[in-house]
């Protein structure tokens, strides 16, 4: 059945304006009933060992984060691609996802649950914990792109979300599965817990509060922002401040979930990946299923780069697109274990002691998803690049002066794009997506310090200080004359 539909929220890409043919759509809207299409009964998903030679599988109803094999490998949520292909044609899947996203059809309006069949097909809709996550803005940074010599620089604003970071995407899936397991008696789970640099904890606290499930967050004391600390406090989570760094917190949470019935919510748990991969499918939808050339992801624990690749690759394997983009991991120089391994030709990966960085959420030296990240980079002709503190804050300030309000992690991504453009790795007309992983309003401390010229290792070349004046119009005009031609 060929389905026709009007994409109500696809932007006409610059290529269309530049004369390249953009796909024309018919005007009739898809039948509303289509969007409510129940998942084909045969679709399901399982945990599978990430080690390709193992083959062990486990029910998603099990409390399990790693395989039982001798490698104790991570897991991956796997779907039966043949059954998905048999269920509907690629064009029908595209049309179904397009019709649902952004609608008020529970739970399908969510950017994640509009792809339910590709994420958690088995879960009862009433057990889904969703706050309309996803459907984030894909912003054409036309003016700033020109300063970098790019005609198609786009920002996927995953930080425009319920808790102001991309973590909501994975958390809706994980907390929904926990809710489902508790409601169906599949497992005794007293609470859900995570270690965090501040965004995972914020997302977990919000979704647990929405579900009425107890939440525990383990945080590196003094190393997260005020906004990040306030979120789990406000959502009623048990907030444990530990005198260590994130890597120390990650070690602790893994120890306690092995001893008491607390369910682990870090992206070591592959359920998180399933939700986060939906942002890749959204990018394809927003470009009318055209595949971008580059996707740049600021990275720390390395779950998100794999999630994005997995989303693009699922669409490719299932015939909805004809390729995957080149993936780029962007790291802060002060927390760059993957960059070091890449620079040394993948000969050896060694955890490091991550140093303080303005990109505080990626101050991670011992990433749990190292194998996943390398797997994704090897299958997308991927690149790893880094940016130092001055490069991060300088380009953040330049981007902000074109209307953005970047978090420092977005700054890492932009700085890496600038480097790759300057090297000629990225061409002028390549379509480049930088994933903005959080909202700048969660990270104001570093921005304030930048404009006050108080950041270590940073020259505030674009500092913009407020002018304090008496309440006299003449004083204001005099001050303005020093700034603009009147
Ligand atoms: C704002 C922000 N950006 C980027 C990242 C990196 O994502 P990942 O840990 O999946 O590499 C994180 C968390 O780790 C984050 O909180
Ligand atoms: N930046 C993350 C660190 C943990 O990453 P996760 O993928 O394990 O959740 C955070 O915000 O805590």
């Amino acid at each position: 059945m060929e389905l026709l539909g009007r994409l109500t929220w696809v932007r006409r890409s610059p290529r269309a304006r530049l004369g390249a043919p953009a796909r024309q759509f018919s005007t009739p809207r898809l039948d509303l009933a289509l969007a409510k299409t129940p998942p084909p009964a045969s679709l399901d998903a399982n945990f599978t060992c990430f080690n390709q030679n193992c083959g062990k599988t486990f029910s998603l109803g099990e409390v399990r984060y790693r395989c039982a094999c001798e490698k104790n490998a991570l897991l991956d949520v796997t779907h039966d691609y043949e059954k998905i292909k048999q269920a509907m044609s690629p064009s029908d899947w595209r049309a179904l996802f397009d019709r649902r996203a952004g609608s008020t059809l529970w739970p399908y309006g969510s950017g994640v649950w509009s792809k339910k069949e590709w994420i958690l097909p088995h879960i009862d809709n009433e057990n889904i914990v969703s706050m309309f996550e996803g459907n984030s803005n894909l912003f054409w940074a036309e003016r700033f792109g020109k300063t970098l010599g790019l005609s198609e620089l786009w920002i996927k604003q995953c930080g425009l979300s319920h808790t102001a970071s991309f973590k909501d995407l994975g958390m809706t899936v994980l907390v929904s599965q926990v809710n489902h397991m508790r409601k169906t008696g599949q497992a005794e789970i007293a609470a859900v817990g995570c270690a965090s640099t501040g965004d995972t904890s914020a997302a977990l606290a919000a979704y647990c509060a929405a579900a009425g499930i107890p939440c525990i967050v383990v945080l590196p004391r003094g190393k997260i922002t005020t906004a990040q600390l306030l979120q789990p406090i406000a959502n009623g989570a048990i907030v444990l401040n530990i005198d260590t760094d994130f890597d120390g917190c990650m070690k602790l949470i893994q120890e306690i979930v092995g001893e008491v019935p607390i369910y682990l919510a870090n992206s070591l748990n592959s359920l998180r990946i399933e939700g986060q991969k939906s942002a890749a499918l959204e990018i394809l939808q927003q470009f009318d299923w055209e595949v971008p050339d580059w996707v740049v992801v600021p990275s720390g624990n390395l779950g998100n780069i794999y999630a994005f690749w997995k989303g693009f690759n699922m669409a490719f394997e299932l015939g909805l697109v004809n390729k995957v983009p080149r993936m780029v991991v962007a790291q802060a120089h002060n927390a760059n274990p993957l960059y070091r391994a890449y620079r040394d030709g993948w000969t050896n990966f060694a955890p490091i002691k991550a140093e303080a960085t303005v990109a505080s959420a990626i101050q991670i030296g011992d990433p749990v998803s190292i194998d996943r990240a390398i797997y994704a980079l090897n299958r997308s002709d991927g690149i790893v690049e880094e940016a130092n503190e001055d490069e991060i804050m300088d380009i953040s300030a330049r981007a902000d002066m074109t209307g953005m309000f970047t978090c420092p992690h977005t700054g890492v991504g932009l700085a890496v794009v600038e480097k790759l453009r300057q090297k000629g790795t990225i061409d002028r007309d390549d379509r480049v997506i930088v994933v903005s992983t959080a909202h700048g309003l969660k990270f104001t401390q570093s921005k304030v310090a930048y404009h006050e010229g108080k950041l270590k290792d940073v020259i505030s070349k674009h500092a913009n200080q407020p002018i304090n004046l008496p309440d006299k119009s003449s004083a204001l005009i005099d001050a303005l004359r020093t700034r603009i031609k009147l």
Side-chain angles (χ1 to χ4, degrees):
M1 169 176 68
E2 183 53 36
L3 294 152
L4 302 177
R6 181 162 60 92
L7 299 182
T8 54
W9 50 302
V10 165
R11 287 167 180 74
R12 286 175 60 77
S13 73
R15 277 193 180 132
R17 293 190 202 167
L18 298 174
R23 187 174 137 201
Q24 295 306 319
F25 296 95
S26 68
T27 48
R29 293 177 66 85
L30 282 176
D31 178 348
L32 204 54
L34 164 74
K36 292 179 181 173
T37 303
S42 61
L43 293 187
D44 203 347
N46 295 298
F47 288 129
T48 301
C49 184
F50 193 75
N51 173 0
Q52 310 298 308
N53 303 322
C54 171
K56 286 185 174 59
T57 64
F58 309 90
S59 161
L60 298 185
E62 276 194 50
V63 177
R64 175 176 286 278
Y65 317 112
R66 290 181 179 272
C67 185
C69 65
E70 71 284 350
K71 289 202 169 185
N72 199 29
L74 292 180
L75 297 172
D76 201 17
V77 175
T78 51
H79 302 261
D80 186 329
Y81 283 9
E82 284 315 307
K83 286 186 178 175
I84 292 176
K85 287 177 182 175
Q86 287 159 18
M88 274 202 283
S89 70
S91 60
D92 288 356
W93 280 116
R94 282 195 298 263
L96 180 65
F97 294 162
D98 290 347
R99 176 65 192 86
R100 284 171 168 177
S103 70
T104 53
L105 289 160
W106 173 264
Y108 303 114
S110 153
V112 172
W113 298 105
S114 52
K115 288 88 183 177
K116 175 180 177 184
E117 293 80 5
W118 289 23
I119 289 176
L120 286 189
H122 66 283
I123 192 167
D124 300 335
N125 284 350
E126 61 268 20
N127 292 336
I128 288 176
V129 183
S130 172
M131 293 188 274
F132 205 74
E133 51 286 317
N135 303 318
S136 60
N137 187 342
L138 181 57
F139 160 60
W140 180 30
E142 181 184 15
R143 182 168 167 229
F144 187 60
K146 281 178 182 167
T147 71
L148 302 185
L150 291 170
S151 62
E152 286 219 51
L153 175 65
W154 296 75
I155 313 294
K156 179 59 176 168
Q157 295 189 304
C158 294
L160 296 184
S161 75
H162 193 76
T163 71
S165 92
F166 75 92
K167 303 289 184 176
D168 297 352
L169 302 175
M171 220 49 90
T172 183
V173 173
L174 186 140
V175 173
S176 294
Q177 177 62 17
V178 169
N179 194 39
H180 185 75
M181 289 158 72
R182 283 163 49 110
K183 295 269 176 74
T184 57
Q186 283 181 299
E188 282 300 312
I189 297 172
V192 186
C194 73
S196 181
T197 58
D199 293 310
T200 293
S201 45
L204 179 62
Y207 281 84
C208 279
I213 298 172
C215 171
I216 294 139
V217 298
V218 182
L219 302 175
R221 189 174 183 178
K223 293 181 172 69
I224 72 173
T225 69
T226 305
Q228 289 177 311
L229 180 60
L230 187 56
Q231 287 176 286
I233 289 171
N235 289 138
I238 299 171
V239 178
L240 307 180
N241 260 341
I242 316 296
D243 287 325
T244 182
D245 58 11
F246 167 79
D247 297 302
C249 292
M250 193 68 222
K251 182 171 178 295
L252 285 170
I253 192 72
Q254 292 180 81
E255 288 167 1
I256 65 175
V257 300
E259 292 183 36
V260 293
I262 293 173
Y263 192 80
L264 179 67
N266 283 92
S267 62
L268 185 155
N269 186 327
S270 51
L271 288 170
R272 282 272 309 281
I273 303 294
E274 291 311 289
Q276 290 173 212
K277 78 184 182 187
S278 68
L281 298 170
E282 266 184 24
I283 289 170
L284 293 175
Q285 288 181 282
Q286 289 168 309
F287 282 120
D288 179 28
W289 301 92
E290 276 182 26
V291 180
D293 300 294
W294 300 90
V295 176
V296 181
V297 184
S299 298
N301 225 7
L302 300 178
N304 210 27
I305 188 72
Y306 177 72
F308 268 91
W309 174 83
K310 187 173 182 182
F312 289 122
N313 190 60
M314 196 165 182
F316 169 67
E317 296 279 355
L318 292 168
L320 279 72
V321 295
N322 60 6
K323 65 175 182 172
V324 300
R326 293 189 67 180
M327 306 303 294
V328 179
V329 165
Q331 293 213 294
H333 172 76
N334 289 1
N336 65 350
L338 189 71
Y339 172 75
R340 295 182 190 201
Y342 172 79
R343 179 198 56 196
D344 301 342
W346 297 127
T347 50
N348 174 44
F349 172 81
I352 64 170
K353 178 72 176 170
E355 295 171 37
T357 168
V358 287
S360 56
I362 56 176
Q363 185 182 337
I364 297 173
D366 186 9
V368 296
S369 291
I370 177 68
D371 292 344
R372 290 168 171 159
I374 294 173
Y375 186 91
L377 290 167
N378 285 340
R379 286 158 180 79
S380 60
D381 192 13
I383 290 174
V384 184
E385 187 49 273
E386 64 169 6
N388 67 34
E389 300 297 280
D390 186 61
E391 290 165 339
I392 296 167
M393 292 310 290
D394 181 75
I395 200 162
S396 292
R398 283 185 279 138
D400 289 353
M401 289 192 290
T402 66
M404 293 186 236
F405 194 77
T406 52
C407 77
H409 317 89
T410 309
V412 177
L414 291 171
V416 158
V417 166
E418 185 169 50
K419 285 188 178 181
L420 294 177
R421 176 75 191 104
Q422 286 168 347
K423 287 178 182 176
T425 308
I426 293 180
D427 290 333
R428 165 174 297 280
D429 292 325
D430 285 352
R431 180 172 286 172
V432 182
I433 318 297
V434 171
V435 177
S436 175
T437 46
H439 197 292
L441 285 172
K442 289 185 80 168
F443 298 90
T444 54
Q445 284 132 290
S446 55
K447 219 177 270 289
V448 168
Y450 173 84
H451 286 285
E452 290 181 343
K454 293 178 179 173
L455 270 181
K456 181 173 175 289
D457 301 329
V458 173
I459 300 168
S460 298
K461 293 195 284 293
H462 308 284
N464 180 20
Q465 285 285 358
I467 305 169
N468 300 318
L469 295 169
D471 59 349
K472 283 174 63 182
S473 58
S474 58
L476 274 67
I477 291 169
D478 290 347
L480 290 173
R481 287 192 197 285
T482 66
R483 291 282 183 118
I484 51 177
K485 186 171 172 43
L486 296 175

